[in-house]
Amino acid sequence: ADDAIKIDAEAGGVTIAAGNDSLILDADGTDADALTVTSAGGMDVDIADGIDIFATDGDVKLEAGGSDNKVTIKGDQESGVAIHLDGNAAAGSTVDIDAGVLDIDATGAVSIDSAGGAISIGVTDHNGNINIGTDGTRTITIGENGEDDKTLAVHASAADIVLDAGSNDVAVTGGLAVSLNATVAGNVTITGNLDVNGDTTTIDSKN
């Protein structure tokens, strides 16, 4: 029955010590609250070695319920994996992160890889911009540099595609096919042959 044995100190604390041995709390009840720890204040657990929390069946929930509280998970490993989130029991296992604002900072490299599917960024129907490499001095590489078995598809059917290199050049090392009109506001220098195919060729020059 509930409260079959009750230890209560109305004034002062209660200390249970096991010396140089184990302290075991064993609840054989099968209710959801078979083992309950209730505190009107905080709870402090200090462990000299590792700690294991394992549920053979059922969810594990860690929550800071206050509107001004947070959950901190910190690993101090300095030369290897400091925090390991493992949600890879099967191909359909999902790690779901929901946030009002998601901010990821790393002092080293950041790598996002998929072994068996597409990597999608900005695929839902929202109108926010996607910024990549907008600050700092950096080289942005899309596709495997130097290989000829990759395809880059850029779609902007609602507006123009702007390639802005400032006072520098935009270098196209392969062929360039334009299916609609092309307008060049500056000078054009052609070092190779010029082949014009069409029903009408019009050249206007002020000189």
Side-chain angles (χ1 to χ4, degrees), residues 63-147:
E63 178 181 356
S67 61
D68 58 349
N69 301 129
K70 64 182 178 181
V71 176
T72 299
I73 301 175
K74 183 175 183 291
D76 286 333
Q77 169 66 258
E78 295 184 354
S79 60
V81 178
I83 298 175
H84 181 198
L85 300 178
D86 187 349
N88 194 31
S93 300
T94 301
V95 176
D96 188 5
I97 300 176
D98 297 319
V101 176
L102 180 61
D103 187 6
I104 300 175
D105 296 313
T107 56
V110 176
S111 178
I112 301 175
D113 298 306
S114 173
I119 298 176
S120 300
I121 301 175
V123 296
T124 57
D125 188 11
H126 299 289
N127 298 327
N129 296 333
I130 296 176
N131 300 321
I132 300 175
T134 57
D135 200 0
T137 302
R138 66 185 80 225
T139 298
I140 299 174
T141 301
I142 301 176
E144 188 174 355
N145 192 14
E147 298 294 331

Side-chain angles (χ1 to χ4, degrees), residues 50-61:
I51 181 172
D52 246 344
I53 300 176
F54 179 68
T56 57
D57 186 16
D59 297 336
V60 176
K61 181 178 181 180

Side-chain angles (χ1 to χ4, degrees), residues 1-197:
D2 292 343
D3 296 338
I5 298 176
K6 182 177 181 180
I7 301 174
D8 185 7
E10 295 184 359
V14 175
T15 300
I16 301 175
N20 191 22
D21 210 330
S22 300
L23 177 62
I24 299 174
L25 300 178
D26 187 356
D28 290 331
T30 57
D31 293 340
D33 59 349
L35 180 61
T36 302
V37 178
T38 303
S39 172
M43 179 177 178
D44 189 6
V45 179
D46 293 320
I47 306 295
D49 206 340
I51 181 172
D52 246 344
I53 300 176
F54 179 68
T56 57
D57 186 16
D59 297 336
V60 176
K61 181 178 181 180
L62 180 63
E63 178 181 356
S67 61
D68 58 349
N69 301 129
K70 64 182 178 181
V71 176
T72 299
I73 301 175
K74 183 175 183 291
D76 286 333
Q77 169 66 258
E78 295 184 354
S79 60
V81 178
I83 298 175
H84 181 198
L85 300 178
D86 187 349
N88 194 31
S93 300
T94 301
V95 176
D96 188 5
I97 300 176
D98 297 319
V101 176
L102 180 61
D103 187 6
I104 300 175
D105 296 313
T107 56
V110 176
S111 178
I112 301 175
D113 298 306
S114 173
I119 298 176
S120 300
I121 301 175
V123 296
T124 57
D125 188 11
H126 299 289
N127 298 327
N129 296 333
I130 296 176
N131 300 321
I132 300 175
T134 57
D135 200 0
T137 302
R138 66 185 80 225
T139 298
I140 299 174
T141 301
I142 301 176
E144 188 174 355
N145 192 14
E147 298 294 331
D148 57 2
D149 58 348
K150 306 298 184 292
T151 299
L152 174 63
V154 180
H155 300 281
S157 57
D160 297 332
I161 295 176
V162 179
L163 300 178
D164 185 356
S167 60
N168 301 304
D169 297 332
V170 176
V172 180
T173 58
L176 178 62
V178 180
S179 59
L180 294 176
N181 299 330
T183 302
V184 179
N187 298 327
V188 176
T189 300
I190 300 174
T191 58
N193 297 327
L194 177 62
D195 187 4
V196 179
N197 295 317

